[in-house]
Amino acid sequence: GVDFEKGCYIGQEVTARMHWRHALKKRLIAITGQNLNKGDKLYDKDNKICGEVTFVCQNYAIAMGKLGTTPMRTENSMVDVI
């Protein structure tokens, strides 16, 4: 179990932030697109970096992205959130 009063454990900082602030800053996003590669940066509609591809299988990928943004493209191709 998790005891918020004592001890150290793996993931303590993230768990504490979620418990006390009730907020996360990032989320996993399932996307699809052509020529996706692990490490590709994702850009939003304002061309700001909003995430990064972490896993790819054929034309599907999992990315870590900022909450409140929708990835539109990588440097090489358009993406769709699924």
Side-chain angles (χ1 to χ4, degrees):
V2 176
D3 184 349
F4 291 102
E5 301 299 321
K6 67 165 197 127
C8 296
Y9 51 90
I10 296 173
Q12 178 177 2
E13 293 84 7
V14 175
T15 303
R17 185 180 317 118
M18 289 175 55
H19 178 76
W20 297 109
R21 295 185 184 175
H22 305 287
L24 289 176
K25 294 182 180 182
K26 296 181 181 180
R27 67 183 176 123
L28 289 177
I29 306 167
I31 59 174
T32 184
Q34 300 291 322
N35 303 317
L36 296 172
N37 296 299
K38 183 178 178 179
D40 283 353
K41 302 291 185 216
L42 296 173
Y43 298 87
D44 65 11
K45 63 181 167 98
D46 297 322
N47 290 320
K48 294 181 182 175
I49 294 175
C50 66
E52 182 175 329
V53 176
T54 58
F55 175 81
V56 177
C57 182
Q58 296 176 354
N59 291 337
Y60 298 95
I62 300 293
M64 183 64 73
K66 293 179 184 176
L67 281 175
T69 62
T70 302
M72 305 295 284
R73 65 175 185 85
T74 65
E75 286 197 18
N76 301 319
S77 65
M78 300 300 290
V79 298
D80 290 313
V81 176
I82 51 176

